[in-house]
Amino acid sequence: MARPSGRPAGEQPVIPLRFGDDALLWASWLYHEENMTQGDIAAEMGISRASVNSYLAEARARGLVTVEIEPRQFRALTLAGALRERFGLEDCLVVPTTGGERSLIARLGAAGAQTLARLVRSGDTTAVTWGRTVLALAEALRLPGLTDLRVVQATGGTTAKIPWTPEACASRLAEAMGARCIPLSAPAIVSSAAMRDMLLAETVLAEQMTVLAEANRIVFGISSLRPESTIHTSGFFEGIEHHHYEERAIGSIAGRFISASGDVVGGPLDGRTIGLDLAALRAIPQRVAVVGGSDKVPAVLGALRGGYASVLVTDAVTGWGVLAADGWTEPPRREALAAAPRALPLRTQTKKLLNDPRQAVDEALEGAFAAHRDLIAPVPRAPRAVRAVHGPRPGKVGVLIGGGAGHEPAFWGYVGAGLADAAAVGNVFAAPPPAPILAAMRAIDGGAGVLCVYGNFSGDVMNFDMAAEEAAEAGIAVRSVVTTDDVASAPADAIGSRRGVAGNVFVFKVAGAAADRMMSLAECEAVTRRAAARTVSMGVALERGSMPETRRPSFALGPGDMEIGVGVHGEPGVSREALASADAVADLLVDRLFDEMRLRERDRVAVLVNSLGGTPAMELYVVHRRVAQRLRARRVEVVSSLVGPYYTSLDMAGVSLSLIHLDDELADLLAHPCRSAALSVP
């Protein structure tokens, strides 16, 4: 007997959003992935069993289904289904993160437009927030033939310095839908709570707020709290000092703040904001969130945990990141279950040479000090602050680098003559606290100031900034360069959201050489910033790494898979593909970096083929062989090459490729002599 479909009797079935309008794909998914019988499928789809059989046969004939559904569609469907089930969504659409000439924002906008076109009905009132993705949705939407539609702003107006204001998003969406546009005739932020109450009492605004309360649907984006995020660029915080909300908030929706669990976080603008609050947003029957980008994973997860979205449109990297952060693991597929031979129980933990895992970072540093006592020493009373034994030099800019442990030989391995003067080290994959950073700044200040260089991770940025503020109060001039070389972690139009990874090695080298040549603090900052802007990296993992305390892998990876675009903190990548040859992996990395660099004939580069921790030198040199071939074919000169474990991720097996596009000054600084535990140039 077929299982009940859960629809009222007589109601026509609607193909779930993630299958588009493809009934064959829907039937194939239900049969091959959800293990439903043909009778179950007939009941679910509202068709005859004979039609189901015909659909499945046609799907095989068209090549939609062979042994498995086409991989990219399968991954998107897997993620969409998992997100829908895990967070109780009405529906979910997942689009590829990369591919084609359009930016991720444009593709998300198009997917959001496709979603909205399927949902809107005559007589609807749709509220809309603001942002890049929301505006892209409005510009992609074409929805003729409906009547009596209203589009209403969800918040008051913001700064006119940006094109994606609430007014622009609402008016463009109304135009695309043939709807009447209802603005909110007031700023989003007013000077006081009393002013807000006075404005809300005005007849015109009160009528507009009444329409907003009648919305049966809202379309919104979700903002991270990075400096370049929508909430910041929209002018919400102009004139607002730092507030304790930053300690708990991980994102914002319609100018309101949420925590990692989805709770409302009080902020500095409470009582002064005109527009929809989060309780009212959650009460709207249909809530369509259109959002993507790996930097937004914590904010999206918080929004889903808080129940703010009922329909989600996102990209594969973001969807995967949200599920992984919430503890989801990909289930085995029907064919895999059927074909799997009986095997011995799998080992679930990695063997490690440790004593107490909680002491691993300090014991490793103790061993480094003993092995390299001619190069490095701990800063007194701050053992996680590592300094060069020779220094500081009067009148020389001090160079400070740092970040979490687990990347050895980074960061202490790049402390020495002609390189960094000090490094601050945190726990495994965690930012160093402000205290050792400040201690290192004081230890290396030679009167010319300190230049800090570190990767673009929220904890590092926050803690280095805090230490810099304290150093400034003590009379130490501090400048910072934040590295963003990981091209897989964010699209080209959001470079400020990218992570800093193995390309750090080139940036550290340039900064150290500039300081060693007694350049001024401003000159050191400028050339280091240029080096960071001209450095790109991307990695591939073959085996996942494991943390010292748990000894468990950081993400699931099948025996025949490789993870593309993996992060150095154990983050999953942007896609998962079948394990390929060394040349194919090298080509994949080179092609992606070439897309970013736009190298021309006779340009010069330096190359870093880096082990992520568990890949031996033999394999790295095989990869480097192919990288060198590709650069030679493009008539690009390789000035220098580094091959080895320069910036690792514990015991992860895999490789990353970094290229720096050189000019005369950068090439000269890379050749400047240096000596450290990890890198020496005679």
Side-chain angles (χ1 to χ4, degrees):
M1 185 169 102
R3 72 182 188 187
S5 67
R7 287 189 305 274
E11 182 177 316
Q12 285 295 106
V14 177
I15 300 178
L17 177 65
R18 61 192 187 280
F19 299 107
D21 294 318
D22 195 336
L24 299 186
L25 183 59
W26 187 17
S28 300
W29 180 268
L30 295 176
Y31 182 75
H32 291 280
E33 298 304 325
E34 297 194 12
N35 300 324
M36 290 174 62
T37 66
Q38 293 187 19
D40 292 340
I41 297 169
E44 181 72 18
M45 297 181 67
I47 58 178
S48 68
R49 184 166 179 167
S51 296
V52 173
N53 188 50
S54 175
Y55 279 3
L56 295 175
E58 186 177 348
R60 288 190 293 272
R62 282 174 38 183
L64 179 64
V65 174
T66 52
V67 177
E68 61 179 4
I69 296 177
E70 194 277 325
R72 287 185 64 175
Q73 284 188 316
F74 169 74
R75 181 174 176 81
L77 293 174
T78 298
L79 295 176
L83 288 163
R84 180 175 57 83
E85 293 296 328
R86 194 168 189 89
F87 298 104
L89 298 172
E90 174 187 334
D91 218 335
C92 180
L93 176 62
V94 174
V95 300
T97 301
T98 58
E101 298 180 355
R102 292 185 302 173
S103 68
L104 176 59
I105 287 175
R107 278 181 278 117
L108 285 169
Q114 172 192 340
T115 300
L116 200 59
R118 296 185 59 179
L119 299 175
V120 176
R121 300 291 180 266
S122 293
D124 283 353
T125 297
T126 300
V128 61
T129 65
W130 79 98
R132 299 175 180 87
T133 308
V134 173
L135 184 59
L137 182 156
E139 292 176 337
L141 182 65
R142 294 295 178 269
L143 192 64
L146 300 179
T147 59
D148 303 321
L149 298 176
R150 297 185 296 181
V151 171
V152 57
Q153 282 180 224
T155 69
T158 60
T159 176
K161 298 175 184 177
I162 57 171
W164 49 84
T165 61
E167 298 90 339
C169 291
S171 61
R172 295 278 185 89
L173 188 62
E175 181 182 356
M177 295 170 60
R180 184 160 65 96
C181 184
I182 313 296
L184 291 190
S185 302
I189 303 299
V190 295
S191 57
S192 66
M195 175 62 72
R196 175 184 180 274
D197 294 342
M198 184 172 66
L199 287 172
L200 289 175
E202 290 292 327
T203 303
V204 172
L205 186 56
E207 290 176 352
Q208 294 166 347
M209 292 294 292
T210 299
V211 176
L212 179 58
E214 294 171 355
N216 63 304
R217 178 181 304 103
I218 183 169
V219 179
F220 64 95
I222 300 170
S223 177
S224 70
L225 296 182
R226 287 179 177 271
E228 71 279 4
S229 65
T230 299
I231 190 68
H232 285 280
T233 57
S234 299
F236 258 61
F237 295 122
E238 290 184 4
I240 302 298
E241 295 182 358
H242 286 292
H243 189 273
H244 64 81
Y245 84 93
E246 294 176 315
E247 299 172 7
R248 291 185 57 219
I250 47 80
S252 72
I253 302 171
R256 315 282 182 161
F257 303 108
I258 59 172
S259 70
S261 60
D263 297 327
V264 178
V265 176
L269 306 175
D270 287 352
R272 294 171 47 196
T273 302
I274 292 179
L276 202 67
D277 62 32
L278 292 178
L281 184 149
R282 194 158 38 193
I284 295 175
Q286 193 169 68
R287 306 171 303 283
V288 183
V290 185
V291 57
S294 58
D295 62 306
K296 296 189 177 182
V297 166
V300 176
L301 179 56
L304 293 176
R305 286 171 171 170
Y308 298 109
S310 62
V311 177
L312 175 65
V313 178
T314 190
D315 65 288
V317 168
T318 306
W320 180 268
V322 167
L323 288 167
D326 202 50
W328 177 83
T329 55
E330 192 168 357
R333 304 181 58 194
R334 169 186 277 198
E335 288 84 355
L337 287 171
R342 293 189 177 185
L344 295 173
L346 294 176
R347 192 170 71 242
T348 59
Q349 290 187 321
T350 304
K351 300 173 183 177
K352 291 184 177 293
L353 283 173
L354 296 173
N355 299 311
D356 181 348
R358 294 168 297 183
Q359 302 299 320
V361 174
D362 293 313
E363 290 184 352
L365 282 171
E366 185 180 345
F369 292 137
H372 306 289
R373 58 182 178 272
D374 59 329
L375 296 172
I376 56 175
V379 173
R381 296 178 297 282
R384 294 282 185 92
V386 180
R387 65 173 180 86
V389 295
H390 302 296
R393 279 160 44 196
K396 175 188 173 297
V397 170
V399 176
L400 172 61
I401 62 177
H407 305 301
E408 288 74 15
F411 293 87
W412 54 261
Y414 299 101
V415 174
L419 270 165
D421 297 285
V425 180
N427 287 327
V428 175
F429 299 161
I437 299 174
L438 181 61
M441 289 177 178
R442 288 173 168 159
I444 64 174
D445 177 34
V450 172
L451 177 65
C452 299
V453 186
Y454 49 88
N456 188 27
F457 299 94
S458 57
D460 296 276
V461 173
M462 180 177 67
N463 291 348
F464 270 88
D465 283 351
M466 291 174 63
E469 290 176 3
E470 292 191 51
E473 293 176 0
I476 301 173
V478 179
R479 302 281 183 88
S480 294
V481 174
V482 180
T483 59
T484 55
D485 54 300
D486 185 4
V487 302
S489 57
D493 55 5
I495 288 177
S497 297
R498 287 179 172 174
R499 302 175 292 223
V501 291
N504 276 332
V505 174
F506 291 136
V507 185
F508 296 162
K509 178 66 181 71
V510 168
D516 198 43
R517 292 184 176 184
M518 305 301 285
M519 292 184 182
S520 69
L521 181 58
E523 290 170 330
C524 288
E525 179 192 13
V527 73
T528 303
R529 197 172 297 281
R530 190 164 82 249
R534 295 168 72 97
T535 301
V536 288
S537 302
M538 185 170 169
V540 172
L542 309 183
E543 297 289 351
R544 54 270 171 103
S546 54
M547 298 289 284
E549 291 196 18
T550 65
R551 292 185 291 145
R552 296 183 185 279
S554 55
F555 58 88
L557 189 60
D561 296 334
M562 61 181 183
E563 192 81 5
I564 311 298
V566 70
V568 292
H569 291 168
E571 308 96 328
V574 297
S575 64
R576 183 165 296 177
E577 298 180 11
L579 184 62
S581 67
D583 282 1
V585 170
D587 285 342
L588 184 154
L589 297 175
V590 167
D591 288 341
R592 184 67 178 85
L593 299 191
F594 278 0
D595 286 345
E596 292 275 333
M597 300 180 77
R598 307 296 182 189
L599 292 170
R600 295 177 297 180
E601 190 172 330
R602 290 190 293 277
D603 279 358
R604 291 172 295 167
V605 299
V607 177
L608 168 58
V609 177
N610 172 62
S611 170
L612 292 175
T615 300
M618 175 187 286
E619 296 172 31
L620 298 178
Y621 280 105
V622 172
V623 171
H624 182 268
R625 158 193 159 277
R626 179 59 176 168
V627 172
Q629 289 175 351
R630 292 293 308 276
L631 289 165
R632 189 162 56 247
R634 188 163 284 215
R635 306 290 194 273
V636 172
E637 179 186 352
V638 178
V639 172
S640 63
S641 293
L642 300 174
V643 181
Y646 284 88
Y647 199 96
T648 62
S649 182
L650 292 173
D651 55 347
M652 183 183 291
V655 62
S656 68
L657 173 64
S658 299
L659 300 176
I660 179 171
H661 192 176
L662 298 172
D663 57 25
D664 289 342
E665 184 177 28
L666 293 177
D668 190 39
L669 290 171
L670 279 187
H672 183 80
C674 67
R675 181 169 176 261
S676 72
L679 178 64
S680 294
V681 175

